[in-house]
C-alpha cells in the first residue's frame, strides 16, 4: 500500500467505457463496450506482502488489499480470504535427472480439485459481500473445471444464482458429474454445441440491454477471479525461494497466464513464461506473428484447455507491449500422444502422477529445455488433480489415481441438468426462469 499513490481503477480494453471501481468491475464482468476490465495502474508488491509470506491467507490480504480496498472493508476482506483460501498449496520438487530443478506447484487441493477454486471462491465471497441485499445471476460457460468450481464457490449464497453452460459430451464423466450434482441455487445445462458456442452465448447475453443489470459472468473474464489467481504465483516464488524462475502454465483461455503477468508487472521476479497448449495452439501462432492464428476449438485429452479463441488475450495485449510479450512469453503446443507420453515419462522417472493438463505443462518445459539449453529452475503449475481424469491417467500409466474423498462423494449425490440449444432465445428463456426464482 505504501507503494501506490492511489487505488487502481478498472478500464475497458476497448477504451469505450467509463473507468469503474473494483466493485462495479466485479459485478458486471464484461465492460459495456464489450471489452474486458484491466487495472489502470499496477500496485507494486510491497514489503508487507513478503513479510506475511509464512501464511497464504495473510499474504493474500497484503497483496490484494491495494487492488480493491475501497470496495471491500479490510476486515471483510481478511475474513473472506481466510475462509475461502483454506487449503494447502504444496510445491513439489520432481526427481530424476531430466527433471532436475523442476518444481510442480499443486493448485488442486481446493474443494473441486482444480486451480479454479482460488478465483471462484474469492470472487463469490467478495461479490456476495458487495451485493448485500441485491440479487444477481451468475452466468458461466465451462469447458469442465470452471463450472464445478463456480457452482461450488457460489452455491447457497442468498443473493446469488448460478446458470452453468457446458458442451454436451465434451467433458469427462467425472467432470460432468461434478457439474451436475445438485447444489442450492445452481442450474446446469448441457449445450448441444462446443465450448466456444457456450462462451459466445454468455458474451451475447451479457451485452443484451434488458439483461445487463441482473447478470454477471464468472469466467476468467471477470477481474474478481483474475486477481486472486496472482496469489499462488507469488506464493510459489516465496515458498521456493526462487530468484528468477521460469514458469510454465497449462493454458486455455489464458486467465492463469494473465494473472501471472499481472504479478510480474507488480514486481514478482519471473525469468520467463511458457504458455503450454494442447492442439489448440492459436496463441503460439499469434506469438509467431501469423495473420489469423485462431480457429474453432478441437477436442483433446486435456479438455479444460480446448479453447479456440482465448478471451484473455485481449487483456494481455492491453497490459504488455508486443516487444515485452515476445521477450517474456513463449508458447508451446503438445499433442495428445505427447501428453500421454509425458504422464508416463514423469511417472517412471520420479513417481509423480500428473493429470493431463499438468502433463502438457511438463512436456512443454522438457521441450523448452531441450531446444534452448536453459535448464535453470522451473515451476510448472499443476492445474488439476489426476483423479479427475481417471480414464486418461489409467491409459497412460496403467492405473487410476485414488480419488480424494470429496471427489468420490459426487457419485453418491443426486444430480440435476437439462439440455439447451445454442440460440440466444434458448438462453433467454432459461434466464427469465432464473429471474422468477429470485422473485
Ligand atoms: C481452466 C483450466 C486450464 C486453463 O486455464 P486458463 O486460465 O483458461 O488458461 C488449465 N488446466 C485446467 C485443469 C483447467 O481447469
Amino acid at each position: 500500500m505504501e507503494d501506490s499513490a492511489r487505488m487502481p481503477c478498472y478500464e475497458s480494453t476497448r477504451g469505450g467505457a467509463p473507468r469503474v471501481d473494483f466493485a462495479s468491475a466485479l459485478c458486471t464482468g464484461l465492460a459495456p463496450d464489450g471489452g474486458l476490465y484491466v487495472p489502470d495502474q499496477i500496485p507494486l508488491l510491497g514489503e508487507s506482502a513478503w513479510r506475511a509470506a509464512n501464511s497464504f491467507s495473510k499474504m493474500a490480504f497484503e497483496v490484494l488489499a491495494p487492488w480493491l480496498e475501497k470496495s471491500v472493508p479490510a476486515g471483510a476482506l481478511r475474513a473472506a480470504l481466510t475462509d475461502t483460501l483454506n487449503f494447502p498449496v504444496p510445491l513439489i520438487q520432481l526427481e530424476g535427472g531430466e527433471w532436475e530443478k523442476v518444481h510442480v506447484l499443486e493448485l488442486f487441493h481446493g474443494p473441486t480439485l482444480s486451480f479454479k477454486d482460488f478465483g471462484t471462491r474469492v470472487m463469490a465471497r467478495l461479490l456476495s459481500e458487495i451485493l448485500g441485499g441485491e440479487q444477481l445471476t451468475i452466468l458461466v460457460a465451462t469447458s469442465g473445471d470452471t463450472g464445478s468450481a463456480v457452482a461450488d464457490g457460489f452455491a447457497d449464497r442468498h443473493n446469488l444464482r448460478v446458470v452453468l453452460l457446458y458442451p454436451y459430451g465434451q467433458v469427462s464423466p467425472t467432470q460432468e458429474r461434478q457439474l451436475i450434482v445438485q447444489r442450492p441455487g445452481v442450474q446446469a445445462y448441457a449445450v448441444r454445441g462446443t465450448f466456444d458456442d457456450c462462451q459466445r452465448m454468455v458474451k451475447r447475453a451479457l451485452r443484451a440491454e434488458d439483461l445487463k443489470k441482473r447478470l454477471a459472468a464468472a469466467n476468467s473474464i471477470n477481474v474478481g477471479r483474475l486477481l486472486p489467481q496472482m496469489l499462488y504465483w507469488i506464493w510459489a516464488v516465496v515458498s521456493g525461494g526462487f530468484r528468477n524462475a521460469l514458469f510454465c502454465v497449462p493454458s486455455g483461455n489464458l486467465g492463469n497466464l494473465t494473472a501471472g503477468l499481472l504479478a510480474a508487472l507488480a514486481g514478482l521476479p519471473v525469468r520467463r513464461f511458457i504458455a503450454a497448449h494442447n492442439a489448440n495452439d492459436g496463441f503460439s501462432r499469434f506469438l509467431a506473428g501469423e495473420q489469423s492464428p485462431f480457429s474453432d476449438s478441437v477436442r483433446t485429452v486435456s479438455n479444460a484447455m480446448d479453447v479456440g479463441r482465448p478471451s484473455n488475450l485481449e487483456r494481455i495485449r492491453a497490459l504488455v507491449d508486443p516487444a515485452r510479450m515476445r521477450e517474456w512469453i513463449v508458447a508451446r503446443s503438445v499433442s495428445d500422444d505427447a501428453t500421454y507420453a509425458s504422464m508416463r515419462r514423469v511417472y517412471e522417472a520420479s513417481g509423480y502422477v500428473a493429470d493431463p493438463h499438468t502433463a502438457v505443462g511438463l512436456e512443454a518445459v522438457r521441450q523448452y529445455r531441450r531446444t534452448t539449453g536453459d535448464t535453470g529452475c522451473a515451476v510448472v503449475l499443476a492445474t488439476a488433480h489426476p483423479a479427475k481424469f481417471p480414464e486418461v491417467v489409467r491409459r497412460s500409466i496403467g492405473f487410476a489415481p485414488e480419488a480424494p474423498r470429496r471427489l468420490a462423494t459426487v457419485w453418491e449425490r443426486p444430480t440435476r441438468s437439462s439440455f439447451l440449444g445454442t440460440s440466444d432465445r434458448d438462453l433467454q428463456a432459461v434466464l427469465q426462469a432464473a429471474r422468477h426464482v429470485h422473485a
Side-chain angles (χ1 to χ4, degrees):
M1 256 164 286
E2 58 267 23
D3 295 318
S4 64
R6 67 172 182 90
M7 308 287 167
C9 284
Y10 294 82
E11 61 189 8
S12 168
T13 46
R14 300 193 186 167
R19 280 171 204 217
V20 296
D21 65 3
F22 175 78
S24 316
L26 178 72
C27 292
T28 47
L30 210 58
D33 63 352
L36 308 185
Y37 283 116
V38 284
D40 66 350
Q41 60 163 333
I42 309 278
L44 297 180
L45 287 169
E47 266 307 305
S48 52
W50 302 114
R51 272 201 305 273
N54 56 345
S55 142
F56 195 97
S57 63
K58 273 192 200 141
M59 176 211 67
F61 174 80
E62 296 297 336
V63 172
L64 286 182
W67 293 78
L68 43 85
E69 199 185 41
K70 259 194 302 189
S71 298
V72 186
L77 178 59
R78 220 183 279 275
L81 296 170
T82 311
D83 293 350
T84 53
L85 301 175
N86 55 355
F87 47 86
V89 190
L91 182 70
I92 314 269
Q93 181 155 13
L94 294 184
E95 285 161 23
E98 198 172 33
W99 301 105
E100 203 187 323
K101 291 201 222 151
V102 176
H103 300 73
V104 175
L105 184 72
E106 292 189 346
L107 302 175
F108 53 69
H109 296 284
T112 68
L113 309 179
S114 88
F115 79 92
K116 300 212 165 68
D117 283 324
F118 287 86
T120 56
R121 284 167 70 76
V122 174
M123 176 184 162
R125 177 65 180 260
L126 296 180
L127 192 54
S128 194
E129 296 278 345
I130 287 171
L131 281 174
E134 275 176 63
Q135 305 277 340
L136 201 63
T137 297
I138 305 297
L139 186 55
V140 198
T142 178
S143 53
D145 293 324
T146 303
S148 48
V150 169
D152 204 88
F154 284 65
D156 215 7
R157 297 213 160 260
H158 69 284
N159 46 10
L160 299 173
R161 306 228 132 237
V162 180
V163 171
L164 294 178
L165 308 182
Y166 69 95
Y168 179 62
Q170 295 181 38
V171 302
S172 79
T174 310
Q175 283 177 315
E176 179 171 44
R177 191 78 192 189
Q178 282 188 298
L179 286 172
I180 65 176
V181 289
Q182 279 186 27
R183 299 176 175 96
V186 179
Q187 292 163 276
Y189 292 91
V191 172
R192 298 185 197 275
T194 62
F195 171 67
D196 291 327
D197 289 324
C198 298
Q199 192 152 268
R200 259 193 299 272
M201 289 165 78
V202 167
K203 279 203 170 182
R204 277 205 300 263
L206 287 166
R207 293 186 75 172
E209 224 29 73
D210 57 326
L211 289 170
K212 236 178 219 170
K213 296 236 150 41
R214 308 186 305 271
L215 270 190
N219 283 86
S220 48
I221 55 180
N222 195 302
V223 281
R225 253 186 70 186
L226 198 59
L227 299 184
Q229 287 184 214
M230 290 188 298
L231 298 170
Y232 45 76
W233 291 84
I234 301 164
W235 182 251
V237 166
V238 172
S239 46
F242 304 130
R243 290 258 160 68
N244 214 10
L246 169 83
F247 273 82
C248 179
V249 208
S251 294
N253 241 332
L254 299 174
N256 214 347
L257 176 64
T258 307
L261 291 167
L262 280 176
L265 291 169
L268 191 74
V270 174
R271 181 161 88 254
R272 219 163 193 197
F273 296 90
I274 304 178
H277 294 273
N278 55 30
N280 296 280
D281 62 350
F283 186 54
S284 34
R285 292 170 187 276
F286 166 82
L287 289 178
E290 274 189 33
Q291 281 305 312
S292 13
F294 298 102
S295 48
D296 288 344
S297 58
V298 296
R299 294 177 60 179
T300 72
V301 291
S302 48
N303 62 8
M305 308 185 338
D306 293 351
V307 180
R309 303 167 205 283
S311 41
N312 276 296
L313 179 57
E314 188 167 331
R315 268 204 178 104
I316 294 177
R317 296 179 76 168
L319 291 165
V320 185
D321 64 64
R324 190 146 199 207
M325 212 189 294
R326 273 193 302 276
E327 181 191 316
W328 242 0
I329 312 171
V330 296
R332 298 273 153 154
S333 163
V334 174
S335 69
D336 278 0
D337 283 348
T339 304
Y340 281 112
S342 170
M343 281 187 267
R344 224 167 10 247
R345 181 179 282 117
V346 177
Y347 179 68
E348 280 165 9
S350 67
Y352 190 80
V353 180
D355 92 288
H357 305 82
T358 307
V360 167
L362 287 162
E363 176 61 12
V365 165
R366 203 180 69 90
Q367 284 178 14
Y368 175 85
R369 288 180 139 199
R370 295 186 109 187
T371 51
T372 61
D374 171 0
T375 52
C377 186
V379 181
V380 177
L381 303 192
T383 49
H385 194 293
K388 289 187 88 159
F389 307 91
E391 305 84 2
V392 182
V393 176
R394 184 184 295 112
R395 218 182 122 184
S396 174
I397 62 172
F399 66 94
E402 194 179 334
R405 177 80 200 129
R406 60 188 174 283
L407 184 58
T409 59
V410 298
W411 295 99
E412 295 152 18
R413 288 159 57 191
T415 60
R416 183 173 56 199
S417 77
S418 320
F419 280 108
L420 193 68
T422 54
S423 78
D424 290 347
R425 256 220 204 133
D426 294 321
L427 182 56
Q428 297 262 350
V430 160
L431 295 172
Q432 298 298 347
R435 198 175 155 219
H436 287 304
V437 185
H438 271 331

